[in-house]
């Protein structure tokens, strides 16, 4: 891919790649289609970028999604030492150390908050008719994911068709969310997937995770570029704008490949080394 093939919507013009020390990416609809693995061309582009810059992937998805969508698609290469992974918006942080992926930290809900969330989820679900009979529930209704408690009305292993039919307009999830919020004032309650409601610590978003990594690596905002598909106000990438970092809006992985190509072209000569491990 050449600079000439870039569209005006995603051009990398004006980017001084040589001054960048970290390139951060959203995952779903930025590096890959939602919940899908990254494609081989994206894996190659990331490996090339990792030879010049530290790279962060940050998403609301859990560690398991990172393993299947990202890590499972990358070759075992020493440049992966410059890759930083932040599942669940940076409440968890993974790095490769001596060839093995290790969790640097996990900031989980404290036990009292977690127990309160579990109790409130069951209470509200029963009150408004969202506690489905055992016969139609597949797997756990309430899952403790450490940094997040998730209610799944039909269970974690429910068939996709049944999940899709449970709350097509989102009104049942919104009814749960609006009743739960005042019961859990210190926690954040959000409608999640098609049958789920998520409870997390307050103030956890992508700015939280990226901000933590900037502190750990001692990065200034002008040394960081964030690439994401939901940078507009209200989008789940928008909070990073408040950090003052550079941003590039993309629509899909194809746009992201063009941004990476532009970065590689601009840093072909004057590349700074990747950020070392903290
Ligand atoms: Mg996205």
């Amino acid at each position: 891919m050449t600079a000439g093939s870039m569209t005006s919507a995603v051009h990398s013009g004006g980017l001084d790649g040589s001054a960048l020390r970290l390139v951060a990416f959203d995952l779903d609809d930025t590096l890959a289609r939602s919940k899908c693995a990254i494609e081989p061309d994206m894996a190659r582009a990331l490996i090339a970028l990792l030879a010049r810059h530290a790279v962060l992937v940050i998403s609301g998805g859990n560690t398991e999604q990172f393993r299947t969508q990202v890590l499972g698609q990358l070759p075992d290469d020493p440049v992966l030492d410059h890759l930083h992974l932040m599942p669940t918006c940076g409440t968890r942080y993974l790095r490769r150390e001596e060839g093995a992926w290790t969790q640097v930290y996990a900031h989980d809900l404290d036990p009292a908050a977690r127990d309160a969330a579990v109790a409130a989820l069951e209470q509200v679900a029963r009150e408004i008719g969202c506690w489905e009979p055992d016969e139609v529930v597949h797997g756990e209704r309430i899952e403790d994911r450490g940094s997040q408690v998730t209610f799944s009305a039909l269970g974690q292993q429910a068939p996709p068709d049944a999940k899709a039919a449970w709350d097509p307009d989102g009104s049942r999830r919104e009814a749960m969310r609006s009743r739960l919020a005042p019961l859990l004032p210190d926690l954040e309650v959000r409608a999640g997937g098609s049958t789920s409601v998520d409870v997390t610590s307050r103030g956890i978003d992508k700015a939280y995770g990226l901000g933590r990594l900037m502190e750990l690596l001692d990065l200034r905002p002008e040394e960081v570029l964030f690439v994401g598909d939901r940078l507009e106000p209200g989008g789940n990438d928008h909070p990073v704008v408040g950090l003052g970092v550079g941003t590039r809006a993309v629509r899909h992985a194809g746009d992201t490949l063009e941004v990476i190509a532009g970065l590689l072209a601009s840093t072909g000569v004057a590349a700074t080394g990747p950020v070392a491990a903290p």
Side-chain angles (χ1 to χ4, degrees):
M1 186 171 298
T2 66
S5 70
M6 287 188 281
T7 68
S8 58
V10 296
H11 73 91
S12 300
L15 269 186
D16 181 4
S18 65
L20 283 178
R21 296 177 67 206
L22 176 73
V23 186
F25 297 94
D26 163 55
L27 176 50
D28 283 337
D29 295 316
T30 295
L31 292 180
R33 291 172 59 199
S34 185
K35 305 286 183 279
C36 295
I38 62 171
E39 299 285 344
D41 54 355
M42 183 62 77
R44 282 191 294 273
L46 289 174
I47 292 293
L49 193 61
L50 280 161
R52 293 176 166 85
H53 301 287
V55 169
L56 165 67
V57 182
I58 182 166
S59 156
N62 62 25
T63 301
E64 190 50 40
Q65 284 170 268
F66 272 66
R67 291 192 185 278
T68 55
Q69 287 183 262
V70 182
L71 287 186
Q73 315 308 317
L74 295 174
D76 186 27
D77 187 303
V79 298
L80 295 187
D81 287 355
H82 309 300
L83 178 59
H84 307 259
L85 300 180
M86 288 190 149
T88 47
C89 290
T91 60
R92 297 189 171 215
Y93 174 32
L94 287 84
R95 291 212 60 179
R96 187 171 174 274
E97 288 170 0
E98 296 174 3
W101 284 92
T102 54
Q103 187 166 275
V104 180
Y105 69 66
H107 291 158
D108 293 346
L109 288 169
D110 71 64
R114 187 192 55 215
D115 292 349
V118 169
L121 282 164
E122 176 165 356
Q123 177 195 327
V124 167
R126 288 187 183 280
E127 280 173 5
I128 66 171
C130 292
W131 193 265
E132 298 290 351
D134 291 349
E135 307 88 81
V136 299
V137 173
H138 302 259
E140 293 297 315
R141 289 185 182 86
I142 297 177
E143 184 192 25
D144 175 11
R145 294 180 177 172
S147 57
Q148 175 175 313
V149 176
T150 295
F151 169 82
S152 301
L154 298 174
Q156 296 288 331
Q157 281 91 47
D161 288 352
K163 287 169 115 171
W166 188 77
D167 185 24
D169 65 358
S171 60
R172 300 179 86 177
R173 280 166 291 164
E174 173 53 26
M176 281 194 68
R177 193 205 61 76
S178 63
R179 286 189 179 226
L180 280 160
L183 297 177
L184 301 169
D186 300 328
L187 299 172
E188 192 99 40
V189 183
R190 294 195 190 94
S194 51
T195 66
S196 63
V197 175
D198 299 326
V199 180
T200 60
S201 297
R202 197 166 270 291
I204 300 296
D205 57 26
K206 287 179 189 171
Y208 165 85
L210 179 55
R212 287 197 62 90
L213 189 64
M214 288 169 66
E215 281 174 24
L216 285 166
L217 301 181
D218 197 21
L219 297 173
R220 290 175 288 126
E222 57 270 30
E223 295 173 321
V224 177
L225 176 70
F226 180 93
V227 181
D229 71 301
R230 296 290 312 281
L231 278 160
E232 75 285 359
N236 66 3
D237 297 323
H238 184 71
V240 304
V241 173
L243 296 171
V245 301
T247 57
R248 279 293 180 279
V250 296
R251 297 162 300 182
H252 45 58
D255 285 351
T256 304
L257 284 172
E258 296 190 6
V259 172
I260 294 174
L263 284 169
L264 293 173
S266 77
T267 57
V269 180
T272 54
V275 176

